[in-house]
Structures are given as structure tokens and as C-alpha cells.
């Protein structure tokens, strides 16, 4: 068997996995098959003799192809799923499932039809980070070069996508208002050393994480549990300010008017279930951070 034949045979063994990745990225069976075929063409055009993990390489290439398709859709305004467009997306997904019973079985086990439509509301890089990491366990380090962002930035993309997916779409104005109330109360309790007040705002299993840059300037890498997290913030956060971080309520610590650490909150049911302390310069440069004036300050 020639090298070319071996490559072709290996690719065929990976085709079901690559098709699953592409389908969850694109939500269209026809486009998924096109993406997989493009990955095969790129395999034939590339020198992969020194590639140690060819399966991972193929997943990466398929991800890049899908990202290009998603960005092209956005540029042409085809990602809008309001009204009839949303109905058409559901119908197209249902047709794909009916045309391919194996695909329908996969959907029932993992990503449902409605969820695929919700994922169409995500930005292309968010969707790629979410699909590859959360659905296919691809490490953030491998996703980073696909989207051209730092590992910390990719982790944040996946986190934002996860929140949108768990909330089944865009947050309402009421949701955003409630989030701002919770974060404002958290800031007030932190500054005032109100340990009991912090406990009321934190989920019992809350997780606090800091990225490597934040850890280097004093943040903890990871802390779990309401009592420990409340203890970490009680009597502190004097220099933090309420801010909108990509439109969602958060906190920011700035030096000379430039954000040094952003506190990104995950809030479910009015309680804080996660806090990410982000100091990576590349990530902060990608975030839209707007300080919000607090009445009475």
C-alpha cells in the first residue's frame, strides 16, 4: 500500500468524527460534507510526514474550514435567525436529520435541533471554541491557533458561548438588568466587608478562577465554595469598578485608565456560580470594557 493510499484509508476512518465536528459547527449536512471534503483536499496538498497527531491535525483543519464558512455567513448577514430565518434553520436541520438516520441518532444523544439553532446566534469564534472544547474535548491550546487568539481568550470565548447556550439564546434586557444588580451588590458587599451579604449572593458551589497573568499579580488560580470565595473578597475590591464586559455586568481594575484585570461573572438564578479573573493582555484587548458610574459614589 502506497503512502497516498494509507493517508486515504486513515482519512476515511476519521471521516465520521470530522463530519460530526463540521455538522455541529455549521448546522448543515451539505456544508459539513463540503467542509470535510475540503479537509481531505488540504490533506493531499500538505506534507504531513512530520505530523505526530494526524487525527488532531485533521480536526484542526476542519475547524479552520468551518470557521471560514461561518465568517462568510456573517459577512453576508446570513446568521440572523429572527423570524422566518429561524424557522428555516430549524426546518433545514430537521431535513438533514430525516435524510440521515445516523445523524438523527447522534443529535438525540448530544446536540438537539433547537440547540443547533441557538448556536447560530453565536459569533463564529465563539461557536468554534464551544463546539471543539465542550463537545469534542479539544484542548484550548489546540483551538488557540485556529482562531488566532491566546489560550485565555479562547477559554473566554467558550465561556461566553456556554452561557448563551445554557440560557438558550440571547439574554433579555431584564436578565442583563438583574445581572447588574447582583454584581453591584457583590461590589458593595466586598468593599464593606459584608461576609454574610457575599454568602447570599454566591452559589454554594461557586468557582473562582484566575488566569496566569492575574495569578502573577496576586489572584488565586482556583477557589471553590461560597465561604472561601466570600473570604477572598470580603473587605477588598476597593479599586474595582462596575463595568460592562462585552455587554454583560462585571468588574474591572484599571491602572492609569487601562484595564489590568477584568472580573467576569457567571450568574444563574440570581446567584453567582463562577467568577473569572482575567489579566491576559491579548484577551483584554479583545474585550469591550465600559466602566459604569454607580449612583452615590
Amino acid at each position: 500500500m502506497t503512502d497516498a493510499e494509507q493517508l486515504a484509508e486513515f482519512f476515511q476512518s476519521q471521516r465520521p468524527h470530522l463530519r460530526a465536528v463540521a455538522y455541529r459547527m455549521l448546522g448543515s449536512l451539505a456544508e459539513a460534507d463540503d467542509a470535510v471534503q475540503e479537509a481531505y483536499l488540504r490533506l493531499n496538498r500538505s506534507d504531513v510526514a512530520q505530523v505526530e497527531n494526524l487525527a488532531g491535525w485533521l480536526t484542526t483543519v476542519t475547524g479552520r474550514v468551518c470557521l471560514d464558512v461561518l465568517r462568510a455567513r456573517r459577512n453576508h448577514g446570513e446568521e440572523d435567525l429572527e423570524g422566518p430565518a429561524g424557522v428555516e434553520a430549524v426546518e433545514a436541520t430537521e431535513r438533514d436529520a430525516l435524510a440521515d438516520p445516523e445523524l438523527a441518532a447522534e443529535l438525540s444523544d448530544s446536540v438537539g435541533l433547537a440547540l443547533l439553532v441557538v448556536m447560530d446566534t453565536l459569533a463564529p469564534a465563539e461557536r468554534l471554541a464551544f463546539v471543539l472544547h465542550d463537545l469534542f474535548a479539544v484542548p484550548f491550546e489546540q483551538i488557540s491557533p485556529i482562531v488566532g487568539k491566546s489560550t485565555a481568550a479562547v477559554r473566554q470565548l467558550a465561556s461566553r458561548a456556554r452561557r448563551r447556550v445554557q440560557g438558550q439564546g440571547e439574554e433579555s434586557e431584564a436578565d442583563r438588568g438583574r445581572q447588574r444588580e447582583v454584581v453591584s451588590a457583590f461590589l458593595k458587599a466586598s468593599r464593606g466587608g459584608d461576609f454574610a451579604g457575599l454568602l447570599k449572593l454566591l452559589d454554594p458551589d461557586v468557582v473562582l478562577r484566575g488566569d496566569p497573568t492575574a495569578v502573577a499579580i496576586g489572584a488565586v488560580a482556583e477557589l471553590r465554595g461560597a465561604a472561601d470565595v466570600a473570604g477572598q473578597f470580603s473587605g477588598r475590591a476597593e479599586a474595582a469598578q462596575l463595568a460592562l464586559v462585552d455587554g454583560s455586568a462585571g468588574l474591572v481594575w484599571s491602572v492609569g485608565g487601562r484595564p489590568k484585570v477584568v472580573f467576569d461573572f457567571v450568574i444563574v438564578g440570581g446567584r453567582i456560580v463562577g467568577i473569572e479573573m482575567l489579566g491576559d493582555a491579548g484577551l483584554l484587548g479583545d474585550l469591550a470594557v465600559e466602566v459604569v458610574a454607580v449612583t452615590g459614589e
Side-chain angles (χ1 to χ4, degrees), residues 178-192 194 197-198 201 242 272:
R178 177 56 179 152
Q179 287 182 354
R180 179 169 169 174
E181 289 176 4
V182 171
V183 176
S184 296
F186 177 86
L187 178 60
K188 182 179 179 180
S190 297
R191 289 175 171 175
D194 184 0
L198 288 170
L201 295 166
L242 183 66
I272 299 167

Side-chain angles (χ1 to χ4, degrees), residues 133-134 140 151-163 166 183 186 202 205-215 219-224 229 232-233 240-241 245 248-253 260-267 272-280 283-284 287 289:
H133 181 267
D134 284 41
F140 289 128
T151 300
V154 172
R155 180 178 175 181
Q156 183 65 6
L157 287 171
S159 177
R160 290 207 302 263
R162 193 178 305 118
R163 271 177 279 167
Q166 289 172 347
V183 176
F186 177 86
L202 297 170
D205 298 318
V206 62
V207 179
L208 168 67
R209 293 190 179 93
D211 71 11
T213 305
V215 170
V220 295
E222 183 171 304
L223 206 58
R224 294 177 178 269
V229 173
Q232 183 72 18
F233 283 97
Q241 296 173 286
V245 181
S248 297
L251 300 176
V252 61
W253 170 52
K260 295 294 289 185
V261 176
V262 162
F263 302 73
D264 191 47
F265 291 78
V266 180
I267 299 170
I272 299 167
V273 300
I275 306 173
E276 300 272 352
M277 299 179 67
L278 309 167
D280 180 89
L283 171 58
L284 296 185
L287 296 177
V289 180

Side-chain angles (χ1 to χ4, degrees), residues 29-51:
L29 189 57
E31 287 184 319
D33 285 336
D34 287 345
V36 172
Q37 185 60 27
E38 175 61 25
Y40 179 64
L41 294 176
R42 295 190 185 187
L43 172 65
N44 286 330
R45 294 196 299 263
S46 303
D47 181 4
V48 294
Q50 303 303 316
V51 174

Side-chain angles (χ1 to χ4, degrees), residues 108-122:
S108 66
D109 289 339
S110 55
V111 181
L113 300 178
L115 182 55
L116 282 172
V117 175
V118 170
M119 288 201 296
D120 272 342
T121 68
L122 303 177

